[in-house]
Amino acid sequence: LVSDTAGYIDYVYVDAFSKLQEAEPFRTFTDDELIQYSVGGGKMQFAPGTSQKYSHTDNVILGQVIERATHETVAQLEEENIFKPMRMKDTFFPSNEEIPGPVLHAFTKERGVYEDCTYWNPLWGSTPGLPISNLHDIGKWGPILGTGRLISAAHFKEQIAPWKGNKRPDVYFAYGFVVANGWIVQNPAINGYSGAFAYNMTDGVTITVAATKSENATTDFAAFDILREV
């Protein structure tokens, strides 16, 4: 699940889900609903372990596995084991769709009209992607993730290693992020927002970018485009 080799269909590409999410952007989706969109048809993208492709479904299922194994929520676990000990005081799980100000407002034209989508419900993006943060805390997160500060050396080596079927040693998807030419990279996008994060494992440089869409935007990943230029 963590390496996205489980083979589950990504529910964001299921037509019934995408139409409902677009029609009702403030709707709350439960984990069970999201998983059902993926498995309801009884099909997989590929047999488990035979290929690799990013899937939000893998993240949702992984979150349920973690919660059942620990008897705690992902929110509790991340607060206790990451945010609090690492003094990421501006990073937390939201209780609703509100984002504390000051906030970069997000805009999109995906419903046919250019509109503010800042407070659309983000629950469809899967539990691991829900925490609210700011550029300062994400910058602080760079060396925490990029040096394996919270895990053993053996686990960190496993975390940043390529999947066994990977054919490109310079660019590959590891455990929840891309490793590209010595950089750990993530490029999330949700509800009109795009983000970009990069940590250089050689010199310790961290870069964070946040962006939204202009009315004539041609990409969902403006922040990543900026990151690549930097």
Side-chain angles (χ1 to χ4, degrees), residues 86-117:
M86 294 296 102
R87 299 182 180 180
M88 297 172 68
K89 62 183 180 65
D90 295 315
T91 305
F92 55 92
F93 269 77
S95 57
N96 52 43
E97 294 82 28
E98 290 295 317
I99 305 175
V103 59
L104 169 70
H105 277 245
F107 297 86
T108 185
K109 203 175 182 180
E110 67 181 62
R111 302 201 310 162
V113 58
Y114 190 58
E115 59 186 329
D116 188 322
C117 55

Side-chain angles (χ1 to χ4, degrees), residues 65-193:
V65 169
I66 291 171
E67 291 186 347
R68 294 182 189 186
T70 62
H71 303 291
E72 292 190 76
T73 66
V74 170
Q76 290 171 320
L77 290 166
E78 292 197 354
E79 177 65 26
E80 295 167 3
N81 296 285
I82 301 176
F83 306 151
K84 188 174 181 178
M86 294 296 102
R87 299 182 180 180
M88 297 172 68
K89 62 183 180 65
D90 295 315
T91 305
F92 55 92
F93 269 77
S95 57
N96 52 43
E97 294 82 28
E98 290 295 317
I99 305 175
V103 59
L104 169 70
H105 277 245
F107 297 86
T108 185
K109 203 175 182 180
E110 67 181 62
R111 302 201 310 162
V113 58
Y114 190 58
E115 59 186 329
D116 188 322
C117 55
T118 306
Y119 301 108
W120 285 7
N121 197 320
L123 278 173
W124 65 266
S126 81
T127 303
L130 288 179
I132 290 174
S133 191
N134 59 22
L135 294 178
H136 178 267
D137 265 12
I138 296 173
K140 185 184 294 185
W141 172 244
I144 296 172
L145 172 66
T147 62
R149 186 179 302 176
L150 293 171
I151 55 179
S152 68
H155 282 155
F156 180 62
K157 183 177 180 180
E158 177 184 351
Q159 184 181 30
I160 63 174
W163 172 60
K164 62 183 180 181
N166 177 70
K167 294 179 173 60
R168 289 194 60 182
D170 56 331
V171 180
Y172 59 87
F173 190 80
Y175 281 6
F177 49 80
V178 171
V179 176
N181 300 313
W183 291 85
I184 287 177
V185 179
Q186 290 180 312
N187 63 327
I190 186 171
N191 292 351
Y193 284 108

